[in-house]
Amino acid sequence: MSAVELGGGPITVGRASPEHAPDVELGPDPQRWVGRLHCTLDFADGMWSVTDNASVNGTLLRHGDVTERLQGRKRIQHGDTLLILGDMTPKGEPLYWELTFLDPHTTRPAPFGPPTDVRHTGPGLRYDWVAARAYRVENGVETLIDGLRPQGHQLLRYMAGRGNDGAAVACDHASLITALWGPREEWAPHRSYTRADLAGVVRAVRRCIEVDPSHPRILETVTGIGYRLNVSRPPT
């Protein structure tokens, strides 16, 4: 356990690279689960806020007994904890970095907005960001998906994190390759990743999430562009 004294901000949190050293470095991170500029803490008008910088694996915010995926900019107060995925066991159990914010002068509750009620009517996928679990959702019934490997989780986390609940999320090949293997400048010498590598990951994911992987309805192909993920909210 270590402590970092916050100055006036902004304070960057992420993974170190040859071109960048964040204020709070989370490492080692050989699998690149943590983004180089994963999230940022800012101080303004007497309070601290945190923003996820469109990271691939997202940032979770735990406030009291509630843990939610960070979307947009959120105020944080004494006792709040940021959870950033740092690794995953071979069985798919998430291992998080936990960054607890200590500021006894902050007393007002964080302004959480009301939940939206947007639904996807066809078969879709719900991703539980806290437990790192994926569920197939169809006709109001949720089925836990087994067998996803860590790279499959990373693909689904990236795609699910780029859309609103109940929406179809389309991502191009280039962005998905970067999400899975990092930017080109970080690749090992004489190693490159192509659409064929991406298609291999997609096939493995489809074998887990689709009823009929040869006719996918959740993770669909967008010809000439990339892939589309149909995202669902949990049934109420």
Side-chain angles (χ1 to χ4, degrees), residues 76-95:
I76 54 176
Q77 65 181 40
H78 180 71
D80 287 354
T81 299
L82 301 178
L83 303 173
I84 297 175
L85 186 66
D87 203 352
M88 189 173 287
T89 69
K91 293 183 178 180
E93 296 294 334
L95 302 173

Side-chain angles (χ1 to χ4, degrees), residues 13 39-40 62 66 88-89 115 124 135 166 174 190 233:
V13 179
C39 61
T40 304
R62 183 166 65 208
V66 177
M88 189 173 287
T89 69
Y135 298 84
H190 312 298
R233 293 189 62 204

Side-chain angles (χ1 to χ4, degrees), residues 69-182:
R69 177 170 167 251
L70 181 63
Q71 294 180 305
R73 188 168 182 260
K74 287 284 189 180
R75 181 187 168 187
I76 54 176
Q77 65 181 40
H78 180 71
D80 287 354
T81 299
L82 301 178
L83 303 173
I84 297 175
L85 186 66
D87 203 352
M88 189 173 287
T89 69
K91 293 183 178 180
E93 296 294 334
L95 302 173
Y96 288 104
W97 292 95
E98 296 192 13
L99 286 71
T100 301
F101 179 71
L102 302 178
D103 181 3
H105 301 293
T106 303
T107 56
R108 291 181 297 167
F112 297 110
T116 57
D117 190 20
V118 181
R119 287 191 177 277
H120 174 69
T121 56
L125 180 132
R126 180 177 75 84
Y127 198 90
D128 184 333
W129 288 76
V130 179
R133 293 286 184 271
Y135 298 84
R136 175 185 171 86
V137 182
E138 188 168 13
N139 298 324
V141 178
E142 285 195 348
T143 303
L144 176 65
I145 294 170
D146 294 320
L148 281 172
R149 301 180 69 85
Q151 205 164 44
H153 277 279
Q154 193 156 357
L155 177 73
L156 294 178
R157 288 173 75 95
Y158 177 81
M159 297 188 74
R162 259 125 196 91
N164 295 320
D165 289 338
V169 184
C171 299
D172 60 54
H173 296 107
S175 65
L176 292 173
I177 289 172
T178 300
L180 291 176
W181 292 286

Side-chain angles (χ1 to χ4, degrees), residues 49-70:
S49 298
V50 61
T51 304
D52 180 82
N53 296 313
S55 63
V56 171
N57 288 305
T59 303
L60 303 179
L61 176 62
R62 183 166 65 208
H63 176 75
D65 296 329
V66 177
T67 301
E68 63 178 359
R69 177 170 167 251
L70 181 63

